[in-house]
Amino acid sequence: MGKTVLIVEDEQAIVEILKYNLQKEGYETLEALDGETGLQLAREQDPDLMLLDLMLPKMSGFDVCSTLRSEGSAIPILMLTAREEEADKVLGLESGADDYIVKPFSMRELMARVGAVLKRNGKKSTVLSYQYKELEIRPDSRTASISGKELILAPKEFDLLLELAKNPGTVMRRDKLLQDVWGYSYCGDGRTVDTHVKSVRDRLGPYRSMIQTVWGVGYKFDPDAVIR
Ligand code: CA
């Protein structure tokens, strides 16, 4: 079962984009639009991580966090703040947040923080990894390795490899990959995908043929491809 992330945020648009990105990475999500509901869900549902906005109706993120800590809850909390200056307070002892991220943040940065906080706190440590022959891809730590040797991958290269490897045997269209890896707002074209596929293949070395070109359409991850 995937890990559950509780989103406590009063801006519906931010909730939606967080939900979309978290679910895409395999997390289950819960949401609350105010502090009181967030606190209640944290107590009742015991999520693996809480994304907690600081400025919330009914009860501030700061109070939600310190209340949970005073009750002995060790739930990892990643605080969303609007200003860098709030960081000291957020990370202060009386609040007890594990980390913070300043708005506006990129989804890539947020997902990396989520992964890092969960890794540090490995409560329900069901590590999800994709293993194909000697190739192992770990979404939680955002690393890929061959025979235990870590591959050097740029963030988008990793995302692309993960997206392909999640869907073995499925033809992934270029436009779908662009959308899933680069996001809806990205103004690139199919060539962006092609150049990244080329560099991922270079990194894969002997396993390069696992990423197969489907002419005129896109790419397919084939774990059984012949190693040349
Ligand atoms: Ca807010």
Short mmCIF file of all heavy atoms in Angstrom, two decimals, residues 39 43 66-73:
data_model
loop_
_atom_site.label_atom_id
_atom_site.label_comp_id
_atom_site.label_asym_id
_atom_site.label_seq_id
_atom_site.Cartn_x
_atom_site.Cartn_y
_atom_site.Cartn_z
N LEU A 39 -6.17 18.83 11.94
CA LEU A 39 -5.76 18.23 13.21
C LEU A 39 -6.54 16.95 13.48
O LEU A 39 -5.98 15.91 13.84
CB LEU A 39 -5.97 19.23 14.35
CG LEU A 39 -5.63 18.75 15.76
CD1 LEU A 39 -4.15 18.42 15.89
CD2 LEU A 39 -6.01 19.82 16.80
N ARG A 43 -5.14 13.02 13.66
CA ARG A 43 -5.36 12.13 14.81
C ARG A 43 -6.04 10.83 14.41
O ARG A 43 -5.66 9.76 14.85
CB ARG A 43 -6.26 12.83 15.84
CG ARG A 43 -5.58 13.92 16.64
CD ARG A 43 -6.64 14.65 17.42
NE ARG A 43 -6.09 15.67 18.31
CZ ARG A 43 -6.79 16.73 18.71
NH1 ARG A 43 -8.04 16.90 18.29
NH2 ARG A 43 -6.25 17.61 19.52
N SER A 66 2.09 22.25 16.86
CA SER A 66 2.49 22.15 18.27
C SER A 66 1.50 21.32 19.08
O SER A 66 1.90 20.62 20.02
CB SER A 66 2.69 23.54 18.88
OG SER A 66 1.57 24.34 18.66
N THR A 67 0.22 21.35 18.70
CA THR A 67 -0.76 20.52 19.40
C THR A 67 -0.45 19.03 19.21
O THR A 67 -0.43 18.26 20.16
CB THR A 67 -2.20 20.81 18.89
OG1 THR A 67 -2.48 22.18 19.07
CG2 THR A 67 -3.22 19.97 19.62
N LEU A 68 -0.17 18.67 17.95
CA LEU A 68 0.15 17.27 17.67
C LEU A 68 1.39 16.82 18.45
O LEU A 68 1.42 15.73 19.03
CB LEU A 68 0.37 17.06 16.17
CG LEU A 68 -0.90 17.01 15.31
CD1 LEU A 68 -0.55 17.11 13.83
CD2 LEU A 68 -1.68 15.73 15.58
N ARG A 69 2.39 17.68 18.46
CA ARG A 69 3.62 17.32 19.16
C ARG A 69 3.39 17.20 20.67
O ARG A 69 3.93 16.31 21.32
CB ARG A 69 4.72 18.36 18.90
CG ARG A 69 5.24 18.36 17.47
CD ARG A 69 5.97 17.07 17.08
NE ARG A 69 6.49 17.12 15.72
CZ ARG A 69 6.01 16.41 14.70
NH1 ARG A 69 5.00 15.59 14.88
NH2 ARG A 69 6.56 16.51 13.49
N SER A 70 2.53 18.09 21.20
CA SER A 70 2.26 18.03 22.65
C SER A 70 1.48 16.77 23.02
O SER A 70 1.51 16.30 24.14
CB SER A 70 1.50 19.28 23.11
OG SER A 70 0.18 19.22 22.63
N GLU A 71 0.79 16.21 22.01
CA GLU A 71 0.05 14.96 22.25
C GLU A 71 0.93 13.74 22.01
O GLU A 71 0.48 12.61 22.09
CB GLU A 71 -1.16 14.88 21.29
CG GLU A 71 -2.24 15.92 21.60
CD GLU A 71 -3.31 15.96 20.51
OE1 GLU A 71 -3.16 15.26 19.48
OE2 GLU A 71 -4.29 16.70 20.70
N GLY A 72 2.19 14.00 21.66
CA GLY A 72 3.12 12.89 21.47
C GLY A 72 3.16 12.34 20.05
O GLY A 72 3.78 11.31 19.80
N SER A 73 2.48 13.01 19.12
CA SER A 73 2.49 12.53 17.73
C SER A 73 3.85 12.78 17.09
O SER A 73 4.43 13.85 17.24
CB SER A 73 1.41 13.25 16.92
OG SER A 73 1.60 12.99 15.54
#
